Amino acid sequence: MNQNLPCPCARHQGSPLFTTAHKKGETAMIARLSPDERKAALATLDGWTEAEGRDAIARSLRFADFAQAFAFMTQVALAAEKMNHHPEWFNVWNRIDVTLSTHDAGGVTQKDIDLARAINGAASRAGSGGTA
């Protein structure tokens, strides 16, 4: 990586250099997936689709009630913190709409695919009814 380029990450705005690690082992930039890579990855992710009108992936989930939905969100929040990658989400009672995109890269990256897999695991453990 060229160490003389400005870091585009919001966390490092004003910093003159790329950082080699936002968290240990993580690089400042990650490449967007090509359309073929995104399509192949989506084929392995139950319930996920391309988000309409933007370079992102999305899934809607329904749970038995608000408590179950909130428990799911808590599991995802902990996983997202460990991954240092966070979802956009919207919750009303038992429904959660999730959108994933890597803002620093301007679209879907492997980070989004990894978080989508973690979200699917948490949904399975929480008993989600799947896509709404």
Side-chain angles (χ1 to χ4, degrees):
M1 177 182 294
N2 184 339
Q3 295 295 319
N4 296 318
L5 296 174
C7 184
C9 172
R11 192 178 331 167
H12 297 103
Q13 283 181 345
S15 172
L17 301 177
F18 272 117
T19 179
T20 56
H22 288 111
K23 277 192 163 183
K24 187 177 180 176
E26 181 184 353
T27 59
M29 290 294 293
I30 186 167
R32 283 178 30 193
L33 297 180
S34 72
D36 288 341
E37 290 170 325
R38 182 176 36 245
K39 183 177 178 181
L42 280 172
T44 69
L45 292 169
D46 289 338
W48 291 88
T49 61
E50 292 194 46
E52 192 173 322
R54 58 185 289 203
D55 191 351
I57 59 175
R59 181 173 181 191
S60 278
L61 302 114
R62 290 194 188 271
F63 297 88
D65 54 29
F66 178 74
Q68 193 178 49
F70 196 83
F72 161 81
M73 290 177 74
T74 301
Q75 282 188 354
V76 171
L78 294 172
E81 277 296 300
K82 284 183 182 178
M83 297 171 80
N84 194 31
H85 191 58
H86 305 92
E88 297 173 27
W89 52 17
F90 178 78
N91 166 242
V92 175
W93 192 59
N94 71 335
R95 190 185 86 228
I96 301 170
D97 298 326
V98 183
T99 303
L100 300 177
S101 182
T102 304
H103 301 285
D104 292 350
V108 177
T109 68
Q110 187 60 47
K111 288 176 132 187
D112 301 302
I113 302 307
D114 294 343
L115 184 52
R117 285 195 176 96
I119 288 169
N120 281 1
S124 199
R125 289 187 298 277
S128 165
T131 302

